[in-house]
Amino acid sequence: SKFWKFTSSVVMSGVGAVSKTFLTFGSYSGVYNLNPFLNILCDPQRTRPILTVTNHTSTADDPLLWGVLPWKCYKDPSKTVRYALGAQELCYPNKPVGTFFRFGQIVPIIRGNGVYQPAVDASINMLKSGKWVHIFPEGKINQTDQLIRLKWGVGRILMEYGGAPIKDGGKPLNELEMPIVIPIYHLGMEDILRLFPDNSSPVFPTLGLPLTIVFGEPVEFTSIMKEYKEGKIQEIEARVKMTERVFDAMEELKAVAIRLHMKHEAQAEEERIRRGFWWWTRPPGWGWWKTTDVPVHSKYRDQTVKIEEI
């Protein structure tokens, strides 16, 4: 409805403004490879939905990460701002809070209930309607140095989107347009909003710390879907292979992010020492929107996705 679209746009724009303010004034922010992602997201010729996946290191990951989106994305958030899965106990504890998160395009998921639940079903349906869906495939906040083995939800979403094998009445691969799957990796959020052993966290984030956000290249799943459609592998094996491919892509992107973050940390420390007390004359995160493109040579790059400038 018009009311829904207007209210959602107001909520998303307000949250976006807070996120942009934090990226500019609250942290030494560095954003990499955003332009290729925006070229895909805002391409008027795009017919495929988008599924983004990222590591999960704090309760502030979403929405602070999406402060990188330009303002034009908030004009019609149902098309160019993500729908995300959020823990029901955190995002929907009561009706007022739940209403806010509903307008913020958060779908409640019950952690521990497995991959066959309404939130995952809703994600598949939203992708089929051309939306952008974002998930944290680790399934929980992870502030260690190692990625947790991913939940099978991402594999189920991709498998059921693709449909059954040809022999069971499914569409052939050349008639399918699989979602564009893009990994994102960020470092620094685990220090900005630390999660304590009792699962509590500070009310306010720590200011002035380095934050690095790196967008990866689209991941290819055509070869796996081809095997499944032709009956060479069964559904469970295909789902596992797809989940593992997402994990490998995130591990590859993690290596790039660590290198960039170490460089970013050194630059932030030099800047802090040089400016001293007068750091406020120029915000620590000023210029993060001048995103830098860095090479990410993915082994499983989706060659069918055009990422050139529009």
Side-chain angles (χ1 to χ4, degrees):
S1 66
K2 291 182 179 179
F3 171 76
W4 174 274
K5 288 183 178 180
F6 172 77
T7 308
S8 179
S9 181
V10 170
V11 170
M12 299 297 285
S13 297
V15 174
V18 172
S19 300
K20 288 177 180 294
T21 300
F22 180 82
L23 291 177
T24 305
F25 297 95
S27 67
Y28 285 88
S29 306
V31 183
Y32 302 87
N33 286 352
L34 175 61
N35 289 327
F37 172 72
L38 292 179
N39 292 336
I40 296 171
L41 177 65
C42 301
D43 183 359
Q45 305 301 320
R46 176 174 61 85
T47 58
R48 297 166 60 183
I50 293 176
L51 177 66
T52 52
V53 294
T54 185
N55 57 316
H56 196 10
T57 62
S58 82
T59 54
D61 294 350
D62 191 306
L64 290 184
L65 291 177
W66 311 125
V68 302
L69 298 177
W71 284 115
K72 64 180 180 180
C73 292
Y74 293 95
K75 292 180 180 178
D76 189 356
S78 65
K79 294 182 179 179
T80 48
V81 178
R82 94 292 172 262
Y83 286 81
L85 302 186
Q88 179 171 297
E89 68 272 19
L90 297 178
C91 300
Y92 288 79
N94 52 58
K95 189 171 182 179
V97 175
T99 300
F100 174 80
F101 278 101
R102 188 173 292 112
F103 284 122
Q105 300 182 174
I106 298 294
V107 180
I109 188 168
I110 303 174
R111 290 187 289 189
N113 269 27
V115 298
Y116 293 98
Q117 56 174 298
V120 182
D121 297 337
S123 299
I124 297 170
N125 291 331
M126 285 187 291
L127 286 172
K128 288 181 177 180
S129 62
K131 307 293 186 184
W132 165 19
V133 175
H134 177 76
I135 61 174
F136 296 101
E138 291 177 286
K140 66 178 182 178
I141 293 176
N142 171 27
Q143 296 189 332
T144 68
D145 295 333
Q146 302 296 323
L147 276 172
I148 299 175
R149 276 291 167 183
L150 308 187
K151 303 296 184 182
W152 281 16
V154 62
R156 186 209 159 189
I157 289 172
L158 292 169
M159 285 298 304
E160 295 203 8
Y161 183 95
I166 298 174
K167 65 178 182 180
D168 296 330
K171 291 183 179 180
L173 194 60
N174 59 359
E175 295 182 14
L176 280 176
E177 289 189 324
M178 292 295 290
I180 302 172
V181 181
I182 301 177
I184 305 169
Y185 206 93
H186 58 88
L187 290 168
M189 203 75 78
E190 63 278 8
D191 297 318
I192 291 172
L193 202 63
R194 172 61 57 179
L195 183 70
F196 300 124
D198 62 353
N199 286 329
S200 64
S201 61
V203 176
F204 299 103
T206 303
L207 302 178
L209 297 179
L211 172 62
T212 303
I213 305 171
V214 186
F215 288 77
E217 294 184 340
V219 184
E220 180 270 325
F221 296 95
T222 304
S223 57
I224 300 175
M225 281 303 298
K226 186 174 185 294
E227 288 182 298
Y228 174 66
K229 286 289 185 179
E230 295 175 354
K232 296 180 180 178
I233 56 176
Q234 298 301 310
E235 180 180 351
I236 293 179
E237 185 180 356
R239 186 187 302 169
V240 171
K241 283 188 173 183
M242 285 191 167
T243 305
E244 289 178 344
R245 183 158 294 185
V246 174
F247 181 87
D248 292 341
M250 291 183 66
E251 279 281 7
E252 181 184 68
L253 190 60
K254 173 186 172 183
V256 177
I258 289 175
R259 173 174 55 82
L260 293 171
H261 190 62
M262 292 177 62
K263 181 179 178 181
H264 197 55
E265 283 181 317
Q267 291 174 341
E269 186 62 25
E270 290 177 5
E271 189 77 357
R272 187 181 291 111
I273 294 173
R274 184 178 65 83
R275 286 154 67 182
F277 178 78
W278 302 99
W279 66 270
W280 52 266
T281 58
R282 185 167 68 88
W286 192 264
W288 61 262
W289 50 87
K290 297 178 182 178
T291 172
T292 304
D293 291 346
V294 295
V296 181
H297 302 291
S298 174
K299 181 179 179 181
Y300 299 110
R301 162 85 166 87
D302 188 345
Q303 301 291 340
T304 64
V305 178
K306 296 180 180 180
I307 59 174
E308 295 80 8
E309 294 289 340
I310 297 175

